[in-house]
Every structure is written in C-alpha cells, then in structure tokens.
Amino acid sequence: MDIQLSERFIAFIRRQLSSFEAVGEIQYLVVYVAQAKDGRSPSLEPVGQWPEIDKALPSVEADSDLRRPSPTRRWYPLQDDSILIGVLRVEHCKGDNPSWPEGLEKRLQATAESLAQC
C-alpha cells in the first residue's frame, strides 16, 4: 500500500515539528510513514523533518545506525488502533547522560498521537 500524503498534511507535519524549535534538548525530529511497495514488507520512509536540510533522508531500513539502540534517540509510534502507520524519531542533543524531561516526553507523545490522527 502506497500512502499518498496531501500537501496540507505535509504542511501540518512541518508546523508540528518546527514548534519544537525552542526546545534546546532536541537535535532532530523526523516523521516516517509505513510504505509497502510492490508487495514487499513495509518500510519506514521519511516525510518530514526538523530542522529542514537539503539532504534527502534514507528509510529506517536503509540506515543501519537507526536500527541500533541509542540513549539519545527515542521512537514514538504513529498508530491507528493496533496498526503502525508511522513513527516519530527524536534525537536528543548529544551528551554522556542525556535527560529526557517528563514534560518533553508528554509533549512528544501528544505530537505523535496528533500526527497519527491526522
């Protein structure tokens, strides 16, 4: 199934992600959607990121670093009931012991839920 995303939804993603600009703890935010092409298993394809860069990001499956655990990375599922439709990836500013403030955690979860509902 190849999901077609509207320009309106892409603009919504950009607004949601850019709202974290003032949060000093966040280095990157990336929204991926699950895409299945030609009968293959779904892959997680990037559809929005903050900060915006001119470089195209690879799918999760094409970047082996993303499949390794990291204390500076969190994944928030975008779900419709039990169906995974995508993920929100958050990269914390690098550090030996990054802290994830509880308020930030709740805001990220709410953002992921909002994106999934839209």
Side-chain angles (χ1 to χ4, degrees), residues 45-67:
E45 302 291 332
V47 296
Q49 64 192 41
W50 177 88
E52 290 188 27
I53 56 174
D54 291 335
K55 180 178 123 179
L57 294 174
S59 68
V60 171
E61 293 74 17
D63 188 339
S64 60
D65 270 351
L66 295 178
R67 294 185 306 242

Side-chain angles (χ1 to χ4, degrees), residues 15-33:
R15 282 191 306 275
Q16 290 293 306
L17 298 185
S18 68
S19 74
F20 286 90
E21 186 171 1
V23 179
E25 293 93 355
I26 294 178
Q27 187 175 19
Y28 297 108
L29 292 163
V30 184
V31 175
Y32 298 86
V33 294

Side-chain angles (χ1 to χ4, degrees), residues 80-112:
D80 183 18
D81 291 324
S82 63
I83 299 170
L84 182 70
I85 55 177
V87 294
L88 170 63
R89 178 182 117 208
V90 182
E91 297 285 340
H92 194 284
C93 287
K94 304 220 185 268
D96 292 338
N97 187 18
S99 64
W100 293 82
E102 184 179 333
L104 177 59
E105 182 78 18
K106 287 180 181 180
R107 184 171 170 204
L108 290 164
Q109 288 172 343
T111 299

